[in-house]
């Protein structure tokens, strides 16, 4: 237990006094919610609401920044009980706070992409499509050879994205087709700016979290103290782990680190 505390304090000495002026931002899948076979079965750890509520009392802002629709993350996490929580969904395209969702209108190109990836998945055992409204995700975790299936699909999904005017965001056994422009780095910068924060803690694990980690570093150059936590439950991508100050054992480790950091 002391190890996290030591690591967090050693990584950024003086972080604790800055907590009232700190933003704590977390990814959802793999960071608050353990990875599961089917996206619809993901749930935040039962302790998440209690820990995040306690953190919210000590810091300037608690936020979730996820590739999921914001409302899905709130529902799957039971997060509407966390005071003052802000949830950026679709990598920042959507914003949820105090029960209100701000979401853009229909995103052009998604209907075409949806139709084409459903066709693609239909002939491939274990390849599934998650329809997220503003984006679609092609998952291979349930295929016999998830990595092989992902590799086989990359070029085809890329061609569909080009035709639909969308971008492909790869992740763990998933290729997402989504509107260009939003990324987790933009979301992190706006959270820090809105809160006039002097410190930012970000926890994540996947490729989509890299822009957030890079934003933390860029903000560091402007004097904002930053800590990047990698949630490692056996699947964190090396590119994100390499950017982390602290590696903790999965969602339980993330909650424990936050509880230690914000303990009185
Ligand atoms: O930004 P995140 O909150 O990490 O969301 C990224 C994507 O996560 C989800 O997929 C991942 O988790 C699933 C459930 O554990 C797992 O089955 C899948 O293999 C992972 O890639 C989610 O389904 C996507 O929509 C998110 O964009």
């Amino acid at each position: 237990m002391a190890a996290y505390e030591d690591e967090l304090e050693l990584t950024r000495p003086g972080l604790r006094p800055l907590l009232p002026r700190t933003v704590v931002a977390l990814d959802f899948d793999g960071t608050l919610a353990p990875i599961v076979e089917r996206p619809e079965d993901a749930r935040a750890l039962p302790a998440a609401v209690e820990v995040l509520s306690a953190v919210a009392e000590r810091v300037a802002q608690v936020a979730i920044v996820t590739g999921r629709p914001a409302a899905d993350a709130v529902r799957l996490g039971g997060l509407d009980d966390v005071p003052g929580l802000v949830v950026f969904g679709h990598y920042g395209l959507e914003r949820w706070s105090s029960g209100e969702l701000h979401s853009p209108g229909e995103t052009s190109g998604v209907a075409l992409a949806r139709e084409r990836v459903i066709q693609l998945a239909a002939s491939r055992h274990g390849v599934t499509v998650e329809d997220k409204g503003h984006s679609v995700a092609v998952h291979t975790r349930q295929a016999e050879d998830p990595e092989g299936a992902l590799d086989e699909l990359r070029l085809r999904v890329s061609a569909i994205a080009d035709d639909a005017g969308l971008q492909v965001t790869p992740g763990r056994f998933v290729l997402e087709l989504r509107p260009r422009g939003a990324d987790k780095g933009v979301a992190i910068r706006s959270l820090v700016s809105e809160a006039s924060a002097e410190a930012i803690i970000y926890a994540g694990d996947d490729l989509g979290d890299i822009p957030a980690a890079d934003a933390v570093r860029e903000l560091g150059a402007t004097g904002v103290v930053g800590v990047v936590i990698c949630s490692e439950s056996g699947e964190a991508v090396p590119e994100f782990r390499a950017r982390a100050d602290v590696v903790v054992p999965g969602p339980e480790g993330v909650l424990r680190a936050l509880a230690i950091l914000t303990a009185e």
Side-chain angles (χ1 to χ4, degrees):
M1 192 153 172
Y4 293 165
E5 186 165 34
D6 290 349
E7 281 180 78
L8 285 167
E9 285 298 310
L10 283 174
T11 305
R12 292 288 178 266
L15 181 60
R16 202 180 289 268
L18 289 180
L19 285 177
R21 297 179 296 286
T22 296
V23 169
V24 172
L26 310 167
D27 166 50
F28 186 78
D29 290 280
T31 299
L32 263 193
I35 293 294
V36 291
E37 287 281 300
R38 302 185 328 151
E40 61 271 34
D41 293 337
R43 297 289 180 276
L45 285 180
V49 171
E50 191 184 334
V51 172
L52 293 185
S53 299
V55 172
E57 281 179 21
R58 302 286 314 277
V59 304
Q61 180 69 63
V62 178
I64 306 298
V65 185
T66 175
R68 289 194 184 252
D72 280 9
V74 173
R75 180 176 52 83
L76 296 172
L79 299 173
D80 40 2
D81 287 337
V82 178
L85 181 75
V86 170
V87 180
F88 282 92
H90 285 290
Y91 299 91
L93 198 66
E94 288 187 335
R95 182 184 175 121
W96 177 99
S97 63
S98 308
E100 263 188 53
L101 177 68
H102 295 273
S103 186
E106 171 91 16
T107 315
S108 78
V110 176
L112 172 67
R114 182 181 296 120
E115 190 188 321
R116 300 264 302 269
V117 296
I118 286 173
Q119 276 171 11
L120 206 59
S123 56
R124 289 166 171 81
H125 188 66
V127 173
T128 58
V129 174
E130 180 188 12
D131 185 354
K132 304 200 281 184
H134 290 301
S135 64
V136 281
V138 183
H139 290 269
T140 65
R141 185 175 289 275
Q142 295 172 70
E144 201 179 325
D145 172 10
E147 199 66 64
L150 200 69
D151 285 343
E152 190 264 327
L153 285 167
R154 274 182 216 281
L155 284 179
R156 296 169 205 270
V157 167
S158 207
I160 293 173
D162 285 348
D163 290 349
L166 300 173
Q167 74 172 73
V168 179
T169 298
R172 270 182 316 226
F173 303 136
V174 65
L175 297 166
E176 295 188 49
L177 296 94
R178 65 184 187 88
R180 301 177 201 276
D183 72 44
K184 292 193 182 190
V186 176
I188 292 299
R189 283 188 207 90
S190 69
L191 279 165
V192 166
S193 160
E194 281 171 28
S196 300
E198 293 176 31
I200 164 84
I201 299 172
Y202 183 78
D205 66 335
D206 205 352
L207 294 172
D209 298 310
I210 290 173
D214 290 345
V216 171
R217 295 295 165 243
E218 283 162 31
L219 287 161
T222 69
V224 177
V225 173
V227 174
V228 175
I229 300 176
C230 174
S231 171
E232 176 57 275
S233 46
E235 290 200 21
V237 296
E239 297 91 328
F240 184 79
R241 197 186 312 112
R243 286 165 164 83
D245 300 297
V246 188
V247 180
V248 301
E252 287 186 0
V254 171
L255 292 185
R256 212 170 103 199
L258 291 178
I260 291 168
L261 185 74
T262 53
E264 296 290 344

